Amino acid sequence: MVDLVLQQNADALQRELTWLEQLLTHRLGGEQAKEWSELIGAYPVPDMASDPSVYAELIRKHQLMPEERVVFILALTPHIRPVILDVFLQKSDLQHQMYSEFGGSRGKNHIGFIPTGETAAYLLAGHDLAARFRLSTLLDSESTLVKQNLLWLESVAGEEPIWAGILSVSDEVVDQVTTGKIRKPRFSMEFPAQRIETRMDWTDLVLNTKTKEAVLEIETWIRQEEALMNDWGMNKRLKPGYNALFFGPPGTGKSLTASLIGKRTGKEVYRIDLSRLVSKYIGETEKNLSKVFDKAENKGWILFFDEADALFGKRTSVSDSHDRYANQEVSYLLQRIEDYSGLAVLASNLKSNIDSAFIRRFQSIIHFPMPAAGEREKLWRQGFSTSSQLAEDIDLRQISRDYEMAGGSIINAIGYSSLMALDRGTTVISRTDLLAGITKEYNKEGRSA
């Protein structure tokens, strides 16, 4: 099946590339003045009406016109058949550089020709100035190509011509039209988010009843969103997407809950550590956040913004320029969360760190308190390996009453005492090791056990 998809995509793209080569040959062969209608008349666009490839499906889905298809395949060419564009690498005899009318750019590693908006204008309009003006709408923010995230025109520096920007295509689109399978993004400076998964199940999550009910409401939204927005027509009244605030002490299950929501609903969850994303350089934090949201749009991912206090803790009364930029970063994040079409979860230790003016933007505000004694006992009992046994002098009910700990700390103490048992060559967890593990966790928080 995989080979069939690859072959279908390859066949469709080959037909489109052959068509592009024909247009290029005639335009470069002295047909600069030829109008687009004449050019397309001489070389009709390939028929994709019944083609089964992913590329053809995209063409049909977005009802791309011939000139839009030219720009699309032009932008894809460096990724699939760069040699076709080598014809643009010829240099002027007088200036010994590429002809300015071709546009184009050269990459740091890619040695071939990278088309720009100017390249598309030359191919579609030649020297016809009026045609160039008409075609400018092909790459504006309201065009089909840009609105559907098929491609975009990179921004340029300073006062350089707008059409000098590179025609960029996302990795996802390239994957779609070639292999038919989108690769999972890797954590990098271009995508500062990491996918999180869990082997645990819903029964492993210990939350109080009120918190669990609030979490289930989010799952209900995921399951019923399409029916609510489309079947009931609420897309006219409600904004797409769902925004939730998880707040409470560290280790109380905020990250695990986000992972389990994704696992139960079949959604991928990506964790964005805001403490690593916040930059001391003005404007950089917004750029970092923008990369995450741009990549995630229309994917159906759950975005989990952890360590939000790194950003919200900076929000202060405006007394100088740094305060203003800190507040600007917060406003930018919350605006992008509000505009995101999927589920976005913000995790904070303290609800008070978030300005009350922004609280209204969240559909759910869920408190993750420290577990009560009964909940702690359940965490202790289900945390140990079934291959281990507790020493007779261990009373988990009493330990749960005596030591107030979050779930994460309990698991750490269990891990420590289990490791010590293994090191002694036994499967019996000793009370001494268990209390030592508890003391270690208390010390981390500056408390005395």
Side-chain angles (χ1 to χ4, degrees):
M1 181 61 183
V2 175
D3 289 341
L4 177 60
V5 171
L6 292 176
Q7 191 60 55
Q8 289 173 342
N9 289 341
D11 291 343
L13 286 168
Q14 182 57 62
R15 292 166 59 205
E16 203 84 339
L17 289 168
T18 299
W19 176 57
L20 176 65
E21 284 188 284
Q22 292 171 338
L23 299 175
L24 283 172
T25 299
H26 272 70
R27 185 64 83 190
L28 289 166
E31 298 288 348
Q32 289 88 349
K34 200 177 189 76
E35 291 186 3
W36 171 246
S37 59
E38 295 179 86
L39 206 57
I40 197 68
Y43 297 97
V45 60
D47 182 11
M48 297 282 179
S50 58
D51 192 290
S53 68
V54 176
Y55 179 79
E57 287 178 7
L58 279 177
I59 298 298
R60 294 192 296 267
K61 177 182 177 181
H62 301 301
Q63 299 180 341
L64 297 186
M65 302 297 290
E67 56 267 34
E68 292 171 324
R69 285 174 62 172
V70 170
V71 179
F72 189 30
I73 192 62
L74 181 64
L76 285 168
T77 299
H79 301 272
I80 55 179
R81 188 67 65 77
V83 67
I84 289 176
L85 301 180
D86 283 355
V87 294
F88 286 122
L89 295 178
Q90 56 184 295
K91 294 183 177 180
S92 164
D93 293 334
L94 295 177
Q95 299 180 353
H96 301 290
Q97 63 182 20
M98 290 191 298
Y99 290 92
S100 59
E101 62 184 334
F102 297 163
S105 181
R106 304 293 290 272
K108 293 181 181 178
N109 299 310
H110 181 71
I111 63 173
F113 181 92
I114 301 175
T116 61
E118 186 61 50
T119 313
Y122 169 76
L123 182 56
L124 293 171
H127 293 164
D128 187 338
L129 201 56
R132 286 172 60 90
F133 296 161
R134 287 194 299 272
L135 293 167
S136 64
T137 58
L138 278 178
L139 293 171
D140 66 24
S141 60
E142 294 301 309
S143 71
T144 299
L145 293 170
V146 177
K147 286 184 72 173
Q148 299 302 327
N149 295 315
L150 295 178
L151 58 80
W152 67 93
L153 196 62
E154 292 280 4
S155 58
V156 292
E159 298 302 317
E160 292 186 14
I162 294 175
W163 281 59
I166 291 172
L167 289 175
S168 289
V169 186
S170 69
D171 294 340
E172 289 88 348
V173 170
V174 175
D175 287 344
Q176 268 187 293
V177 301
T178 54
T179 66
K181 184 178 181 181
I182 298 176
R183 290 168 289 179
K184 305 298 182 187
R186 293 180 298 172
F187 181 89
S188 67
M189 290 303 295
E190 293 304 311
F191 184 67
Q194 191 165 19
R195 188 180 180 190
I196 56 174
E197 299 177 272
T198 180
R199 295 181 181 178
M200 299 179 77
D201 296 313
W202 188 252
T203 53
D204 298 313
L205 183 64
V206 179
L207 299 174
N208 65 52
T209 302
K210 186 176 180 180
T211 301
K212 185 168 286 189
E213 287 176 352
V215 171
L216 289 173
E217 180 185 322
I218 295 176
E219 286 196 21
T220 300
W221 176 82
I222 293 176
R223 292 195 308 271
Q224 303 299 338
E225 177 204 10
E226 187 174 348
L228 176 68
M229 302 298 277
N230 299 325
D231 298 347
W232 283 33
M234 292 300 289
N235 53 5
K236 299 176 182 178
R237 298 173 177 83
L238 298 176
K239 295 186 68 172
Y242 194 98
N243 315 315
L245 170 66
F246 290 0
F247 74 96
T252 50
K254 298 186 290 294
S255 297
L256 176 59
T257 298
S259 298
L260 286 172
I261 291 174
K263 185 175 183 179
R264 281 164 60 89
T265 59
K267 302 284 186 181
E268 295 180 14
V269 184
Y270 285 88
R271 177 180 179 270
I272 302 96
D273 187 341
L274 287 173
S275 66
R276 300 177 63 178
L277 215 60
V278 173
S279 173
K280 64 181 179 180
Y281 299 106
I282 291 173
E284 283 299 311
T285 300
E286 291 94 322
K287 288 182 182 178
N288 293 336
L289 289 168
S290 179
K291 291 173 183 176
V292 174
F293 282 106
D294 290 346
K295 192 86 168 178
E297 196 60 53
N298 300 319
K299 302 288 195 319
W301 295 342
I302 296 173
L303 298 182
F304 180 71
F305 293 89
D306 203 5
E307 302 292 342
D309 300 292
L311 186 58
F312 284 87
K314 295 168 61 180
R315 186 174 175 84
T316 60
S317 58
V318 179
S319 60
D320 59 29
S321 61
H322 290 89
D323 292 337
R324 285 194 295 274
Y325 282 112
N327 293 349
Q328 179 178 304
E329 290 168 352
V330 171
S331 298
Y332 179 82
L333 170 62
L334 291 174
Q335 185 60 56
R336 289 302 300 260
I337 284 178
E338 191 174 23
D339 292 339
Y340 182 56
S341 60
L343 171 61
V345 178
L346 194 69
S348 172
N349 292 337
L350 295 171
K351 179 183 175 183
S352 58
N353 277 343
I354 300 180
D355 194 297
S356 58
F358 294 121
I359 292 296
R360 63 174 179 78
R361 300 191 183 195
F362 296 98
Q363 281 99 325
S364 286
I365 299 176
I366 304 177
H367 185 209
F368 287 73
M370 289 289 286
E375 293 159 1
R376 293 197 293 271
E377 183 180 351
K378 185 175 181 181
L379 287 165
W380 280 113
R381 292 194 182 282
Q382 68 183 27
F384 289 99
S385 168
T386 55
S387 299
S388 66
Q389 302 89 42
L390 300 181
E392 292 183 358
D393 58 350
I394 293 179
D395 183 348
L396 290 182
R397 178 170 295 181
Q398 190 61 48
I399 286 176
S400 302
R401 292 172 180 169
D402 292 345
Y403 300 101
E404 185 183 30
M405 302 173 69
S409 297
I410 290 174
I411 291 299
N412 288 341
I414 289 173
Y416 172 82
S417 59
S418 300
L419 185 64
M420 294 301 101
L422 285 170
D423 195 47
R424 292 196 312 274
T426 180
T427 59
V428 178
I429 306 293
S430 75
R431 177 179 170 82
T432 300
D433 289 337
L434 189 58
L435 292 178
I438 291 173
T439 300
K440 281 172 59 71
E441 294 305 306
Y442 266 60
N443 290 340
K444 288 179 186 178
E445 300 171 16
R447 297 191 293 164
S448 298

